Amino acid sequence: MQIEVRNLKKDFGQFAAVQNVSFDIEPGKLIGLLGPSGGGKTTILRMLAGLEKPTSGEILFHGKNVNHLPPQERGIGFVFQNYALFKHMNVFDNIAFGLTVQKKTKREIQERVYEMIELIGLKGLAERYPHQLSGGQRQRVAFARALAPSPELLLLDEPFAAIDAKVRKELRTWLREMISRVGVTSIFVTHDQEEAVEVADEIMIINSGRLEQKGTPWQVYKEPQTPFVASFLGESNILPDTASITGFEAATFRLRDKSRAKTANILIRPESIEVGREHEISNPAAASIGLVKSVQFRGTLWQVEVEVGHHRLLAHRTLEKETLKPGDEVAVLIHSLHLFHEDESLFLENEIKRASSAAI
Amino acid sequence: MDDRTQRILDIVVNSFLPLLKAGVEFTVPLALISFALGLVVALLAALARLSGNRVLSGIARFYVWIIRGTPLLVQLFIIFYGLPSIGLTLGAFPSAVIGFTLSVGAYGSEIIRAAIQSIARGQWEAAYSVGMTYSQALRRIVIPQATRVAVPPLANSFISLIKDTSLAAAITMTELFRVAQQITATTYEPLVLYSEAAVIYLIFSTVLSWVQGWLENRFSRHVAK
Ligand SMILES: Nc1ncnc2c1ncn2[C@@H]1O[C@H](COP(=O)(O)OP(=O)(O)O)[C@@H](O)[C@H]1O
Ligand SMILES: [Mg+2]
């Protein structure tokens, strides 16, 4: 289903839970709504479902305004955070429930339900009641119940939040496959970035009731448009200025509003920092001098904390290279960084490195 | 065996059947009919209270306020002795049915309202999200689950009702208690007859508690506690 949202707002009393959110979703896409708890993700999802009335703004399905349609008439399926299975019905009846209002024969309903039970891998458990199922199984039933009436839009609110970490990973992969097989446009809410990056075609980052950025996981990670997105996704170093960072001395002059450059935010990903002995560094001329403050083993790499001027930076170093020790003097080459100022965001590469590679 | 013992034994034996008959013919039907009608009233009043419609919920609230705040005996007198003065004359049985129905309706509506409110909002929303309307969600999801919550207190109020039907004696209905009064009037053995009536009430309510236990069992199947 083609979805458009225009200036969506929701106030709870004085509190603005969702503010001026606009986006488009192409049919068949799987979208992840990602952001910290309390940011308004559930509220957005519930407004799309018709379970919550927007304070203002428009929701369009297939170009038609659905603001005044009740949930039953929106052609949606909803998977609730706590599953909300019907406790007094067995698996079969739970899944069949939405089909019984559609004009279908008993036989068609039965076929569809068994098809769904097969799809969710719960063959043989049709007679079980919700309290006789594990968390993961309940989640699958909730998924089948939502999907059985063939909705045009599937909405999932933190579908894996209540499931333990190991099963969650499995379910994630399973859901991804299931949705692409069925081909239904889907939006799922999560506060777990790994989950969003792994599952979604596109991510929308929601914070304090606002849509911070929408894009593919890679785009959002590589080209964050706000300091919030940059710091929320992945690890990052946030600095107030670029003083003593070789190759970026003039970075803030690239901003449109040079006079206010002092209030800019600088973000550097640990993987954009090369740290090591001078001879190990790919371009020593473009590197600053730093002092190792601490070194931590992080499973597949070393995390090195290094002091450059008055900045403290976290950098990564592969395990193959010689181990650094606190107190070592090292070269610190910063390949790139992000610069944010008000609504402007810049991705900058080390200028000395660029100049020297251009010269070759 | 002395004469007096013999006489009392005769009275007990001779009065048992008429008392039981009055109980089975009037007390039990009165309770059953009033309870069945009362449940319908109770459900409607509960739904009115929950409707969010101010007029409907105001009417329901007013009704519950009046019935709960006045004695049942006084209500029965108003219906049976009072209404004829405005041209509405009803027999003892219909009057009793109306009185008890209104009473069950008022107390029952509070029980049903609480039971419906105890069902999580997510159950409603889940029903809406798969395409159900309000009345379908109510009928197929909420009421079945609320029933489990409401059965024990409703069964209690039915047992109370069986006992309260004795009040209908005061409006000339020849139910169990009134028959006991009538036999007392000719035999002058109040202790014997009223005790005998009490035993029959006890039998009725004991049977009902068994039924209550069975119902509770039935309705709590498949629901994790
Ligand atoms: N029904 C409600 N009444 C009042 N405040 C609410 C209600 N629902 C949500 N909120 C508030 O709106 C904000 C956003 O909530 P929510 O959409 O649930 O966030 P998220 O799903 O991102 O964690 C929170 O501060 C929450 O307390
Ligand atoms: Mg939420």
Side-chain angles (χ1 to χ4, degrees):
Chain A
M1 179 148 67
Q2 155 83 33
I3 296 154
E4 291 164 67
V5 167
R6 299 280 164 262
N7 301 317
L8 198 59
K9 269 192 193 174
K10 178 72 191 181
D11 296 336
F12 291 113
Q14 297 286 331
F15 178 73
V18 174
Q19 311 178 44
N20 258 319
V21 167
S22 300
F23 56 83
D24 290 350
I25 294 174
E26 293 305 311
K29 282 273 196 287
L30 173 52
I31 306 292
L33 279 189
L34 175 65
S37 192
K41 305 179 296 295
T42 297
T43 307
I44 293 174
L45 210 64
R46 289 172 57 84
M47 286 193 282
L48 288 172
L51 295 169
E52 207 80 68
K53 222 177 143 67
T55 304
S56 65
E58 275 190 296
I59 298 171
L60 300 104
F61 290 173
H62 295 306
K64 275 220 293 267
N65 186 310
V66 295
N67 279 36
H68 298 289
L69 283 189
Q72 309 82 286
E73 290 166 34
R74 292 198 182 189
I76 53 120
F78 204 115
V79 177
F80 295 85
Q81 190 166 355
N82 55 4
Y83 324 134
L85 290 179
F86 304 129
K87 292 185 212 161
H88 61 304
M89 293 181 174
N90 63 22
V91 168
F92 183 97
D93 291 334
N94 261 283
I95 299 174
F97 189 69
L99 297 168
T100 55
V101 272
Q102 300 181 339
K103 289 195 179 64
K104 287 207 158 85
T105 65
K106 260 212 151 92
R107 223 195 120 122
E108 285 171 320
I109 291 177
Q110 198 158 27
E111 273 171 17
R112 177 74 175 153
V113 172
Y114 281 115
E115 182 193 332
M116 295 309 300
I117 289 179
E118 181 115 31
L119 187 78
I120 60 171
L122 293 186
K123 238 176 132 181
L125 301 187
E127 306 296 321
R128 292 264 186 106
Y129 282 81
H131 72 98
Q132 301 167 320
L133 299 173
S134 73
Q137 290 171 331
R138 284 183 214 179
Q139 185 58 58
R140 288 170 193 234
V141 175
F143 181 76
R145 178 181 68 182
L147 220 48
S150 312
E152 287 190 86
L153 172 63
L154 183 63
L155 303 164
L156 308 105
D157 192 2
E158 309 228 10
F160 312 120
I163 292 171
D164 57 89
K166 194 163 152 274
V167 184
R168 197 185 312 166
K169 276 212 146 177
E170 271 171 43
L171 270 182
R172 209 140 86 185
T173 321
W174 175 83
L175 180 79
R176 161 94 255 186
E177 282 168 11
M178 212 53 42
I179 286 178
S180 66
R181 196 183 316 172
V182 178
V184 58
T185 311
S186 306
I187 304 178
F188 79 102
V189 164
T190 178
H191 62 262
D192 177 348
Q193 51 164 303
E194 191 187 319
E195 191 167 292
V197 167
E198 204 172 293
V199 176
D201 296 322
E202 275 190 276
I203 293 180
M204 292 200 266
I205 309 272
I206 309 289
N207 179 42
S208 305
R210 294 177 193 281
L211 173 58
E212 298 263 342
Q213 191 172 353
K214 176 172 177 286
T216 64
W218 181 242
Q219 275 171 348
V220 176
Y221 180 80
K222 281 305 279 182
E223 296 153 23
Q225 279 157 17
T226 68
F228 176 81
V229 173
S231 59
F232 188 73
L233 267 193
E235 285 180 289
S236 50
N237 297 288
I238 306 279
L239 315 178
D241 59 68
T242 54
S244 64
I245 307 264
T246 309
F248 296 95
E249 291 84 351
T252 52
F253 290 104
R254 303 220 168 209
L255 289 168
R256 280 196 307 265
D257 183 359
K258 293 171 186 61
S259 61
R260 307 262 225 91
K262 281 199 165 47
T263 60
N265 274 306
I266 287 92
L267 175 134
I268 308 175
R269 301 273 185 212
E271 57 271 33
S272 314
I273 305 177
E274 207 180 321
V275 52
R277 314 273 177 219
E278 202 160 333
H279 65 269
E280 296 172 336
I281 296 288
S282 58
N283 193 333
S288 322
I289 300 301
L291 193 65
V292 175
K293 299 307 272 186
S294 71
V295 180
Q296 271 183 8
F297 180 60
R298 278 296 186 86
T300 54
L301 48 80
W302 292 108
Q303 179 182 289
V304 182
E305 188 189 7
V306 62
E307 192 175 72
V308 177
H310 59 281
H311 305 300
R312 288 269 175 120
L313 301 172
L314 291 178
H316 292 164
R317 182 172 164 88
T318 71
L319 297 177
E320 288 115 60
K321 289 191 180 158
E322 179 200 347
T323 310
L324 298 175
K325 292 184 303 297
D328 286 355
E329 202 180 91
V330 284
V332 180
L333 172 59
I334 292 168
H335 290 278
S336 61
L337 54 71
H338 296 272
L339 183 57
F340 302 100
H341 180 251
E342 286 168 3
D343 63 345
E344 200 178 350
S345 75
L346 298 175
F347 176 71
L348 302 174
E349 288 190 66
N350 188 308
E351 282 174 35
I352 299 177
K353 180 185 141 196
R354 264 215 340 226
S356 61
S357 56
I360 294 167
Chain B
M1 207 184 290
D2 64 35
D3 271 7
R4 173 151 169 82
T5 315
Q6 183 62 47
R7 191 180 111 81
I8 288 175
L9 214 60
D10 284 348
I11 292 174
V12 169
V13 171
N14 291 333
S15 62
F16 188 77
L17 266 185
L19 285 175
L20 190 64
K21 186 163 171 274
V24 171
E25 274 182 3
F26 291 101
T27 299
V28 172
L30 177 60
L32 281 177
I33 295 171
S34 306
F35 193 70
L37 295 177
L39 280 187
V40 175
V41 175
L43 180 62
L44 292 177
L47 291 178
R49 280 291 295 272
L50 295 171
S51 69
N53 179 317
R54 284 181 118 176
V55 177
L56 283 181
S57 102
I59 292 172
R61 204 187 288 262
F62 181 75
Y63 156 64
V64 172
W65 175 64
I66 294 286
I67 300 295
R68 287 209 306 190
T70 56
L72 182 49
L73 187 59
V74 174
Q75 294 163 15
L76 290 173
F77 270 50
I78 291 175
I79 297 167
F80 184 71
Y81 295 114
L83 292 185
S85 62
I86 56 164
L88 207 65
T89 307
L90 296 165
F93 190 81
S95 297
V97 167
I98 292 172
F100 291 126
T101 296
L102 290 177
S103 172
V104 171
Y107 290 96
S109 78
E110 294 294 290
I111 294 171
I112 292 177
R113 184 168 68 101
I116 289 179
Q117 280 177 328
S118 76
I119 304 306
R121 200 162 73 129
Q123 295 282 308
W124 286 99
E125 293 183 342
Y128 293 153
S129 73
V130 287
M132 292 277 160
T133 61
Y134 170 83
S135 69
Q136 285 167 325
L138 181 70
R139 225 172 44 239
R140 302 188 44 189
I141 299 301
V142 176
I143 299 261
Q145 293 184 52
T147 304
R148 181 183 61 91
V149 181
V151 159
L154 285 177
N156 281 337
S157 60
F158 187 54
I159 292 172
S160 299
L161 176 65
I162 277 275
K163 296 177 292 178
D164 287 345
T165 53
S166 59
L167 292 173
I171 56 166
T172 76
M173 204 182 119
T174 49
E175 45 65 74
L176 206 171
F177 185 53
R178 181 142 179 112
V179 171
Q181 285 176 332
Q182 287 167 348
I183 301 176
T184 305
T186 56
T187 57
Y188 305 105
E189 288 291 351
L191 179 62
V192 174
L193 278 148
Y194 294 144
S195 301
E196 205 178 342
V199 167
I200 295 178
Y201 279 116
L202 191 60
I203 293 171
F204 287 160
S205 45
T206 305
V207 170
L208 276 175
S209 345
W210 292 339
V211 175
Q212 175 183 10
W214 177 78
L215 277 177
E216 278 174 32
N217 239 324
R218 212 186 114 82
F219 280 109
S220 59
R221 273 186 316 182
H222 307 313
V223 179
K225 288 171 193 108

